[in-house]
């Protein structure tokens, strides 16, 4: 319903009706509120992404060479981007994420959600440490915020383009899109700062 009508266009009553509930307050009964239902969706979807990132972090840390910026950015991007390899009905979460991040109330709910990825925070912290070797705290914070925004915007754009048939859906094209985006993101993260007088 959220994918079809938008997060602000769906009522608790419509959700209850679609779930076959005659009691229109069923959503509030089970989740406490509409926000609680959205949090439950986030928790459900974030779990698999967390597990994948945690396993990848463990692999990176066992390597002989220290992980590079590109390795950490890949861990931010790839698990979420790989959701695009699923069937359209199985990747509706990407549409929800796009909506959550475009509205202040929902963005705050997502960013401060108790299920927000601990693994993603670990990746961000590792990336922050590496970037602080070259940039001040303010620049690093700005760049990391832009990184997350660009990743989400790119993936949701790809989702729209895949649904419209505008870009190829095969694994090779998907991999090429990821590598091209990684080139761009790493270049942006590591670009020299411009001093402003």
């Amino acid at each position: 319903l959220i994918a079809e009508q938008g997060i602000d266009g769906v009522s608790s009553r419509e959700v209850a009706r679609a779930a076959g509930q005659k009691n229109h307050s069923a959503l509030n009964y089970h989740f406490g509120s509409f926000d609680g239902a959205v949090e439950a969706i986030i928790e459900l979807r974030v779990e698999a992404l967390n597990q994948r990132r945690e396993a990848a972090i463990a692999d990176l840390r066992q390597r002989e060479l220290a992980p590079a910026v590109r390795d950490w950015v890949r861990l931010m991007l790839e698990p979420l981007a790989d959701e695009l390899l699923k069937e359209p009905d199985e990747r509706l979460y990407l549409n929800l994420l796009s909506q959550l991040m475009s509205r202040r109330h929902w963005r705050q709910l997502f960013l401060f959600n108790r299920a927000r990825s601990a693994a993603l925070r670990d990746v961000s912290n590792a990336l922050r440490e590496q970037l602080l070797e070259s940039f001040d705290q303010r620049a690093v914070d700005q760049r990391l915020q832009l990184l997350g925004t660009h990743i989400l915007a790119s993936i949701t754009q790809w989702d729209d383009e895949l649904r419209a048939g505008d870009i190829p859906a095969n694994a090779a094209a998907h991999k090429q899109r990821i590598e091209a985006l990684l080139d761009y993101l790493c270049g942006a993260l590591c670009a020299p700062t411009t001093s402003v007088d």
Side-chain angles (χ1 to χ4, degrees):
L1 285 174
I2 290 170
E4 291 170 1
Q5 300 175 30
I7 197 165
D8 296 322
V10 177
S11 68
S12 297
R13 178 174 287 211
E14 288 173 295
V15 172
R17 195 176 318 126
Q21 298 291 316
K22 292 180 181 175
N23 181 350
H24 296 298
S25 62
L27 184 134
N28 290 341
Y29 174 78
H30 290 287
F31 299 102
S33 65
F34 191 81
D35 285 16
V38 171
E39 283 189 293
I41 293 169
I42 294 168
E43 289 174 15
L44 176 71
R45 297 301 185 154
V46 164
E47 185 176 348
L49 295 172
N50 280 345
Q51 291 172 353
R52 181 171 170 190
R53 283 191 180 110
E54 286 167 0
I57 289 168
D59 288 345
L60 267 183
R61 290 194 168 138
Q62 289 178 2
R63 285 187 188 172
E64 197 171 310
L65 296 174
V69 166
R70 189 177 184 95
D71 295 320
W72 295 118
V73 176
R74 182 181 300 280
L75 285 186
M76 292 182 106
L77 168 63
E78 208 166 51
L80 191 58
D82 285 353
E83 293 288 299
L84 294 168
L85 297 173
K86 297 179 177 179
E87 292 299 319
D89 288 350
E90 294 177 26
R91 61 180 198 248
L92 291 174
Y93 179 60
L94 298 175
N95 180 287
L96 173 63
L97 271 183
S98 176
Q99 293 182 56
L100 293 174
M101 298 309 285
S102 68
R103 293 162 181 83
R104 182 175 173 76
H105 168 76
W106 296 112
R107 183 172 56 247
Q108 288 178 327
L109 181 132
F110 175 74
L111 293 175
F112 299 107
N113 181 279
R114 63 186 170 277
R116 186 166 177 254
S117 173
L120 190 56
R121 279 194 306 270
D122 288 347
V123 171
S124 293
N125 290 337
L127 200 46
R128 178 176 280 109
E129 283 179 33
Q130 283 191 339
L131 293 173
L132 283 171
E133 294 172 10
S134 304
F135 306 105
D136 65 36
Q137 183 70 46
R138 184 172 172 265
V140 170
D141 289 343
Q142 288 174 336
R143 289 176 186 216
L144 289 176
Q145 182 179 10
L146 288 168
L147 174 67
T149 301
H150 283 149
I151 287 173
L152 186 58
S154 297
I155 291 171
T156 55
Q157 179 181 331
W158 293 343
D159 186 39
D160 287 343
E161 292 171 345
L162 284 167
R163 288 175 191 278
D166 294 339
I167 60 174
N170 62 63
H174 176 74
K175 181 173 175 40
Q176 187 279 327
R177 284 190 293 271
I178 288 175
E179 295 305 319
L181 183 56
L182 279 169
D183 291 341
Y184 165 77
L185 294 171
C186 293
L189 276 175
C190 298
T193 55
T194 302
S195 61
V196 178
D197 296 328

